[in-house]
Amino acid sequence: KGKGKKAAKAATKAVEQVAVLGAGIMGGGIAYQAASKGMPVVMKDIAQPALDLGLNEAAKILGKGMQKGKVDATKMAKTLNNIVPTLEYSTMKNADMVIEAVVENPKVKGIVLKETEQTVADDAIICSNTSTISINQLAENLDKPERFCGMHFFNPVHRMPLVEIIRGEKTSDDTIAAVVAATLKMGKTPIVVNDCPGFLVNRVLFPYFAGFSKLVLDGADFAAVDKVMEKQFGWPMGPAYLLDVVGMDTADHASGVMADGIPERMQKIDNDPVTCLYKAERLGQKNGKGFYDFG
Ligand code: NAD
């Protein structure tokens, strides 16, 4: 038994070097998180301005840490030095684990995953940070789907402890073990879930948002609902504010996916306020106006 345990431990790939695909809100945050824990990270995007945004995001988080006295100049320099920005796949050829965080589009993700598999070593692990696309569907783009799983971080990455690790039908136990260990190394809390629409968190969250939307359509004042949930119920933020943080584009897309994927649990809502705000280009915090105005 003891020997078996040792053998299983030896099979778990140690993740030393990370590559992140996409330097957006999530890619930038994930790169920062790994780098801040001492892991060398290659961050790849398709354009220099996008890479600059990702690097600026990391610098901003570190700057705030310095203001609060939690980060000193050495830590700042070390963390930033750990992130290597690139426009070339070849720079990430030594990565032990690649985390794909490009736009939420199955076609783009499919292309990127294929290109990744052609670049990295045979035993490198490949993960996707998708919020809504089926891990089994994405796995079809890979020759070795056993090395692939979901690794779903939450926004903002540096503040949210949870990472959902999503097991596809073909994901191997070794892959899950390695990603769990890498998540812990990155200072996050992993949970392993099976592939299904919404995984765990969004399965709970989106029916809650739908309930909120129906209340607003019934005539409830969104700010009054927020006040009750925050001040009286004790949640850190109410549903309208949380939707502004998530973004109306993301929320509208995700609730559509959930309604299609689990119609027995969630239906599309006619005139959903989230969809109306999205169509009116009130996306939330990201463009300065959603349910609330952000000055
Ligand atoms: P974003 O639009 O901020 O960033 C996407 C980045 O991908 C951009 O910098 C873009 O230039 C880059 N990109 C596009 N095509 C590329 C390619 N072929 N190769 C490399 N880079 C490419 O998006 P985001 O909000 O960071 O979301 C990224 C992923 O994370 C999506 O799958 C999304 O569903 C998921 N996610 C988002 C959130 C969130 O709250 N924003 C939370 C959890 C998961």
Side-chain angles (χ1 to χ4, degrees):
K1 243 187 175 176
K3 260 189 181 174
K5 249 189 178 173
K6 259 194 179 161
K9 217 173 176 194
T12 302
K13 185 178 171 63
V15 173
E16 310 285 345
Q17 293 202 34
V18 178
V20 178
L21 280 165
I25 300 177
M26 297 306 289
I30 296 166
Y32 160 80
Q33 187 63 33
S36 75
K37 297 293 172 187
M39 298 163 98
V41 185
V42 171
M43 180 170 71
K44 184 191 174 301
D45 209 297
I46 44 175
Q48 190 59 46
L51 284 176
D52 292 342
L53 277 179
L55 286 172
N56 284 346
E57 190 54 34
K60 228 166 50 190
I61 299 167
L62 286 159
K64 277 188 192 154
M66 274 181 106
Q67 274 172 10
K68 289 184 188 161
K70 288 182 181 168
V71 171
D72 60 19
T74 316
K75 166 89 180 164
M76 179 151 187
K78 264 193 182 167
T79 302
L80 290 176
N81 277 341
N82 275 340
I83 306 177
V84 176
T86 186
L87 299 172
E88 305 295 332
Y89 274 103
S90 56
T91 321
M92 55 184 236
K93 66 177 189 301
N94 294 325
D96 300 306
M97 179 170 86
V98 180
I99 306 168
E100 172 279 307
V102 306
V103 283
E104 187 75 343
N105 175 321
K107 271 195 190 149
V108 179
K109 285 192 190 292
I111 295 168
V112 163
L113 289 171
K114 278 191 180 135
E115 288 171 339
T116 297
E117 198 170 38
Q118 283 159 16
T119 308
V120 295
D122 271 358
D123 64 344
I125 289 160
I126 304 175
C127 306
S128 173
N129 184 50
T130 181
S131 316
T132 57
I133 305 168
S134 152
I135 292 304
N136 291 327
Q137 183 192 333
L138 289 176
E140 286 171 14
N141 295 290
L142 297 174
D143 290 336
K144 291 179 189 264
E146 63 277 11
R147 58 149 108 186
F148 177 68
C149 67
M151 190 180 190
H152 187 212
F153 290 81
F154 294 85
N155 182 19
V157 176
H158 67 288
R159 289 188 55 192
M160 301 293 275
L162 185 65
V163 175
E164 290 177 324
I165 297 170
I166 302 118
R167 181 196 282 272
E169 273 164 19
K170 296 188 175 156
T171 309
S172 72
D173 288 346
D174 287 346
T175 297
I176 294 291
V179 179
V180 165
T183 305
L184 292 169
K185 197 167 169 180
M186 288 174 75
K188 297 293 178 192
T189 308
I191 55 159
V192 180
V193 297
N194 286 328
D195 189 20
C196 64
F199 311 136
L200 186 150
V201 168
N202 286 343
R203 248 184 198 231
V204 174
L205 195 56
F206 277 83
Y208 162 73
F209 283 150
F212 164 69
S213 284
K214 285 180 189 161
L215 264 185
V216 172
L217 288 173
D218 287 343
D221 170 3
F222 69 82
V225 177
D226 269 10
K227 202 168 155 201
V228 169
M229 295 308 287
E230 288 164 19
K231 299 249 177 337
Q232 279 83 38
F233 197 61
W235 283 17
M237 61 185 85
Y241 197 92
L242 182 54
L243 279 159
D244 276 348
V245 172
V246 169
M248 244 43 79
D249 46 349
T250 306
D252 181 65
H253 172 75
S255 46
V257 171
M258 302 279 293
D260 288 343
I262 45 171
E264 71 287 3
R265 294 183 190 217
M266 240 190 93
Q267 288 90 38
K268 284 201 175 91
I269 300 168
D270 288 338
N271 301 316
D272 189 333
V274 171
T275 310
C276 297
L277 288 171
Y278 170 49
K279 285 186 179 158
E281 291 181 25
R282 295 189 68 100
L283 302 184
Q285 277 185 344
K286 69 174 83 174
N287 76 343
K289 47 193 191 316
F291 280 97
Y292 297 94
D293 282 319
F294 300 89

